[in-house]
Amino acid sequence: MDAVSTALSSQDILHHILSLSSLAQSDLRACCLVNSDWAATGLALLWRHPQCHTLLAFRLLLDTLRHEQDQPARVLLLPSTHSRERSVRRASTMHSMSPSARTPTAPSQSLAILPTPYRTHCPPKEYGIPFHGKRSYHRAQFIRTLDLHAVAGFLSLHHLEILARSSRIGLRALDLHTIQLPFSEHLLAILVASKQLRSLTLGSIEFPPVEDLAYLKPCLGGLTELRLMSCPDTVDDAVLGFLLRHSPQLRQLEIHGEKFTDQSLEFIATTCVELESLVLEVPLMTDVVVAQITTGCIKIRTWRLIDCAALSETTVELLEIMYDWDKTPKGIRGGFARCLTGSPPPSFTSLAGAIGGLSLATSPSSTSLSSSTTLISQSSSPSSSASSISTSNHSESDVSQIHKNQQRQGNNNNGSSGAHQEEHPFILERHMQLSSQQQYRQQQLLLQPTAGLSTLEFRNCIGIHPHAINSILRVQLRLEHLTLGGPKITDDALTCLTETAYPHLRTLELFDCIEVSDETMVATLFNCDRLTKVGIRGSNFTFRTFSAIAMHLEMLEELHLEHVRLIINETLQDIMLRCSKLRVLKLWHCRNLTQDLFTDQMDPVPSLEVLEYMDKYMRPFQNQPGRDQPGGGRQGGAGGGGGANAGWEPQVRFLQTLVVRFENLRALRLGKIAETYVPVNLVSYLCQLDQLEKFSIFQNPCLDVVDLKELQSRLPTLIEVGVGQSDKLSEEDILHFNQSRHRPNVLVYRRLLESSDELATYVYKPIFNS
């Protein structure tokens, strides 16, 4: 038995190998067919992230979970081994408490979450690979995430009820931003049972009253990621304040809501002190909240402020003070040092007093800085003003006082240890050397500045002027991701990028920056030659900017152009030839880009994996079938008349170009192939892309049920097909197709979408529902 076989016979080594991120789901399924040991390890990993691409797969998953509720089994990998009745009652433990110690009770319907009897006369169909033999575990306990985006339009409260019964599901991440269901008692039971939840994403869900959210305290206590997307108007400051107060371990926070104010956002600074990434789309937020966050959350490296109309230049100055070590006052610097060394964080009033003690020379704008001091002083209590002033006055000796206390503590420890046990002189000398080295390391840690910004985004913040953005960018030379948006963004905001090289910048996105000129963009691209992602949406850039992209950005991997009017085919072809690492190309509604972009030049682009080409403009001069022979039938050939050839020949050339040039495509999304229906066998060309996973066509699709079945049989990698409304495909046919097959999931787009963000959040809800 060689060394490799011996290593693979160990379950720990085998589990580590199969847990590698480079292995796909198909690879794990193949490993499960080797032997029983590999099957036991591989199935446990496959059940961590069950994939439900269609409604049939999701129903099989629910049936499997419901069937396991009726069969006793020994639970593995879980600290508690409660019985089924006790685990089901875990979601309603508050009802068994005494009336004096009882928190606000949940609705009485939560007590009725009991498993329905399973029909034993029907052989159950199980989800995934069947495990032959006697199982000694519940597969529900391995589930970590559930991707419900593909079936979000079909979900009902009955599905959530079945998930609520499976109390052994230990979810780590739950994404519900595309689900449009009320916050029922079943969803509450799922969250209560998921005590190990780490990531939670909620969308347009109407929350219950605050008193009913008391059950979520164990769930919120372990969260590290919280995202509130498109919060409805019914979600007020009371709900947001409750969620923030009971989530002290958050590292990533994203809030999108129009009704939130400073009353609830102030809990970010007081509770979420471990925060590293912050995304806020709150129009009513003011500079007071930013001042509090920059004081209490010193570990933030990602700031994304979107549509925050109430912010002013004070916000930028506070960020500049926070991340520019030369401008940071000594009082705040000592507070940062104490937090870095693990000591208790400084109070907000002391650091606010330190900010208030800033001289006017430390800030480029004395007026806005004085206004920020006034805002901070108003938010702090009057009784703490004296302590804040004394703290700021004596902040120069903070570092030395910490060193003295540590040295005094070390001497006490040495004295107490020597009283009990006599040590060798060499050991004492070595201990003194180690203690001095430790004090030196702590001193260096105290003196080093905080980590700089990694991601910065200002989009549609009308109160922030371009020169203020340029001021903070000038001191952030290690910035990695930059996003600017709004009609007020001018060349003044990018002046530092045109003068200084930014070798660490990887992402640059501009949203509706119509005032930025070509000269500024050319100089910026020259200094930021290591960009891997460029996004331009709504601008007046000409061929000079796009020629600079092709000339300087050799490491470009993703290019997103949306509503760019002045780009032409020749310039984009040059980009595709020069940028050999281009993987993602998204072209949305660019007026001067036509299908000739792909057909004029036949050089292959093997690195491209995602192609989105959306065109909403009419092209009457091409792709029209002839009048003498109308397009009918599925096959088009050269035997047709000259007028018919003028209709289908450009389509054949276009599809052939996609197959030849982009043979490694994984996602292909097209707005349309022609203005009118053209008899081209689209399936025969799509089947040549053997790695295709997602395909969408929004207008004039020439697909029917027979084509979907052929795609399902010839493309085993295809998991999603999106089509526009057509007479050949009714919603009854699509619903029956999704209910009878594991893949692909068929979606219907009732209109042509305007942006890629809208595509990512689109949810198909059928009108006909059986």
Side-chain angles (χ1 to χ4, degrees), residues 414-694:
N414 294 338
S416 61
S417 62
H420 294 281
Q421 182 180 2
E422 184 178 358
E423 297 183 355
H424 195 274
F426 174 76
I427 298 178
L428 294 177
E429 182 180 0
R430 180 60 178 168
H431 179 72
M432 293 177 62
Q433 292 178 359
L434 293 177
S435 62
S436 62
Q437 293 178 3
Q438 183 180 5
Q439 291 180 3
Y440 175 76
R441 295 193 189 97
Q442 292 180 356
Q443 182 180 4
Q444 296 298 321
L445 184 62
L446 290 172
L447 295 178
Q448 70 179 2
T450 56
L453 274 174
S454 172
T455 304
L456 182 63
E457 177 176 356
F458 292 109
R459 194 194 312 178
N460 296 331
C461 299
I462 57 178
I464 299 178
H465 296 281
H467 64 83
I469 299 177
N470 181 70
S471 177
I472 189 175
L473 292 179
R474 192 175 297 277
V475 296
Q476 299 298 326
L477 298 179
R478 301 184 66 87
L479 193 66
E480 298 179 4
H481 309 281
L482 176 62
T483 302
L484 301 176
K488 286 195 172 183
I489 301 298
T490 61
D491 294 341
D492 297 336
L494 301 176
T495 303
C496 56
L497 297 179
T498 62
E499 299 173 352
T500 309
Y502 282 74
H504 300 279
L505 194 62
R506 295 293 180 267
T507 303
L508 178 61
E509 291 183 304
L510 301 177
F511 292 83
D512 299 325
C513 299
I514 57 178
E515 298 296 332
V516 180
S517 61
D518 284 324
E519 291 77 8
T520 301
M521 280 301 298
V522 171
T524 300
L525 295 173
F526 177 78
N527 290 328
C528 308
D529 56 348
R530 294 184 177 272
L531 288 173
T532 58
K533 179 181 178 180
V534 175
I536 301 175
R537 307 181 188 183
S539 66
N540 295 326
F541 298 139
T542 62
F543 72 95
R544 296 182 56 189
T545 297
F546 303 107
S547 299
I549 293 177
M551 184 179 302
H552 302 300
L553 304 184
E554 297 179 356
M555 302 176 61
L556 187 64
E557 297 181 1
E558 182 174 349
L559 179 61
H560 186 183
L561 303 178
E562 183 175 321
H563 296 283
V564 181
R565 300 179 299 173
L566 302 180
I567 187 174
I568 57 178
N569 293 344
E570 291 76 8
T571 308
L572 192 55
Q573 288 175 356
D574 192 17
I575 294 176
M576 298 171 63
L577 290 178
R578 290 176 177 266
C579 302
S580 59
K581 298 182 180 181
L582 190 64
R583 297 186 301 104
V584 180
L585 180 60
K586 299 181 180 181
L587 307 174
W588 283 74
H589 309 307
C590 300
R591 180 182 294 273
N592 290 326
L593 291 182
T594 62
Q595 291 183 357
D596 297 336
L597 164 69
F598 306 102
T599 58
D600 289 346
Q601 195 169 359
M602 297 297 293
D603 295 333
V605 186
S607 62
L608 197 65
E609 298 179 359
V610 178
L611 176 60
E612 297 181 3
Y613 175 65
M614 301 294 169
D615 186 11
K616 67 178 181 180
Y617 300 102
M618 296 291 294
R619 311 292 180 182
F621 50 85
Q622 63 179 2
N623 303 335
Q624 290 185 350
R627 297 180 179 178
D628 54 348
Q629 185 175 352
R634 296 175 53 85
Q635 301 292 335
N645 293 342
W648 63 265
E649 281 185 353
Q651 309 312 316
V652 172
R653 186 167 63 251
F654 171 65
L655 295 174
Q656 286 178 347
T657 305
L658 295 180
V659 172
V660 173
R661 296 190 63 186
F662 316 120
E663 56 184 1
N664 295 324
L665 277 180
R666 296 183 179 272
L668 176 61
R669 303 186 186 276
L670 301 175
K672 57 187 175 182
I673 296 182
E675 297 295 340
T676 57
Y677 172 75
V678 178
V680 177
N681 192 359
L682 181 61
V683 177
S684 61
Y685 294 98
L686 293 179
C687 292
Q688 299 182 33
L689 302 173
D690 53 356
Q691 300 181 15
L692 192 63
E693 298 178 359
K694 297 181 180 181

Side-chain angles (χ1 to χ4, degrees), residues 10-21 23 41 45:
S10 174
Q11 291 292 333
D12 296 335
I13 298 178
L14 183 61
H15 185 274
H16 178 72
I17 294 175
L18 297 183
S19 300
L20 297 176
S21 59
L23 294 179
T41 306
L45 295 176

